[in-house]
Amino acid sequence: MPGERLPLGFVFRSRVKEEKAPADKAVVTDSKQPRHPQAPKGRPTPKRSEAQSQRRSVANTSMTRKDAAKRQREERRAQLERQRQALAGGDERYLPARDKGPVRKFARDFVDSRFNVAEFFLPMAVIILVLSMIRVASLQNVALLLWLVVIVLIVLDSVVTGFRLKKRLAERFPEQNRRGAVAYALMRSLQMRRLRLPKPQVKRGERP
């Protein structure tokens, strides 16, 4: 009836019901099952088939890493094989960094084109060692004298070779980096010709 007042208890109960209604609806809409650790927030728990497919994808990823590591090992092995063939044949494309470049090639050819006293050091050392082991005073004196002669000859030959090579490099490659080329050539001269790597590409007496 217009103008009729409602009881205070009735008004209070109706307001309480209106405030509780959204909360009750929210409780009904929320899932009672616990959220799966792999499920994003606000999304349902993935099915067993989906979880298995995710595990398979992780396994495939690990296999891919193994394949990548295996591929890297194969590439490394192929690179080493190319370097070995380049050291035997002199192919500049696959030589190690210390052997690359026209300056290093000229230094190798310069040493390989001549006789070097240092390359005969190993056989001479064996002979001297045998003589020194014989318990004869005269032979031991000869062995000691040979040691001194060999060392002096190697030093003199290395000095002459280094001086000539340095001069030729300055004439041939005036604007290129020649640092370390002389030492590189002298170290090569200490090796026997058949054991040198890269293999000699010039004959003895042939001008590089």
Side-chain angles (χ1 to χ4, degrees):
M1 293 293 294
E4 185 179 359
R5 296 182 178 178
L6 296 175
L8 294 176
F10 178 80
V11 176
F12 179 76
R13 283 195 301 271
S14 57
R15 288 183 179 179
V16 171
K17 289 181 180 180
E18 290 176 359
E19 292 176 357
K20 287 185 177 181
D24 295 338
K25 290 181 181 180
V27 172
V28 174
T29 55
D30 290 341
S31 175
K32 295 180 180 181
Q33 296 180 356
R35 185 176 64 84
H36 194 272
Q38 298 179 353
K41 293 182 179 180
R43 296 184 182 180
T45 303
K47 297 180 181 179
R48 181 177 298 177
S49 59
E50 295 177 356
Q52 290 177 354
S53 64
Q54 292 177 0
R55 287 194 293 269
R56 290 195 197 99
S57 63
V58 173
N60 293 334
T61 304
S62 62
M63 289 297 295
T64 303
R65 292 174 182 172
K66 292 181 180 179
D67 293 340
K70 182 179 179 181
R71 190 178 301 110
Q72 290 179 356
R73 290 193 299 269
E74 292 177 352
E75 292 177 355
R76 177 63 178 171
R77 193 179 299 112
Q79 182 180 2
L80 292 176
E81 179 63 21
R82 288 194 297 267
Q83 286 187 0
R84 187 187 66 81
Q85 294 178 359
L87 289 172
D91 191 348
E92 284 282 337
R93 295 176 299 172
Y94 304 113
L95 286 176
R98 65 181 180 86
D99 299 313
K100 281 186 177 181
V103 175
R104 297 299 174 97
K105 184 179 186 306
F106 182 85
R108 292 196 303 270
D109 293 343
F110 183 86
V111 171
D112 297 336
S113 64
R114 60 194 301 272
F115 286 95
N116 302 278
V117 178
E119 66 179 294
F120 301 106
F121 172 76
L122 185 59
M124 287 188 296
V126 174
I127 295 173
I128 294 172
L129 182 61
V130 172
L131 291 176
S132 63
M133 292 177 63
I134 300 175
R135 294 174 179 265
V136 178
S138 59
L139 292 178
Q140 290 181 349
N141 293 332
V142 170
L144 181 59
L145 181 61
L146 286 175
W147 269 122
L148 296 176
V149 171
V150 168
I151 292 174
V152 171
L153 289 177
I154 289 176
V155 171
L156 291 177
D157 185 64
S158 299
V159 171
V160 173
T161 301
F163 178 78
R164 291 180 178 177
L165 177 59
K166 187 176 182 179
K167 183 179 179 181
R168 293 287 303 277
L169 289 173
E171 295 173 354
R172 191 77 172 265
F173 308 98
E175 298 181 357
Q176 296 192 30
N177 184 13
R178 304 184 300 275
R179 184 177 181 181
V182 175
Y184 171 78
L186 293 179
M187 290 298 296
R188 185 177 178 84
S189 68
L190 293 173
Q191 303 171 351
M192 299 180 66
R193 182 181 173 88
R194 65 178 61 184
L195 300 179
R196 294 172 183 172
L197 291 174
K199 293 291 184 181
Q201 302 296 315
V202 296
K203 297 179 181 181
R204 293 190 190 272
E206 184 178 353
R207 188 180 179 85

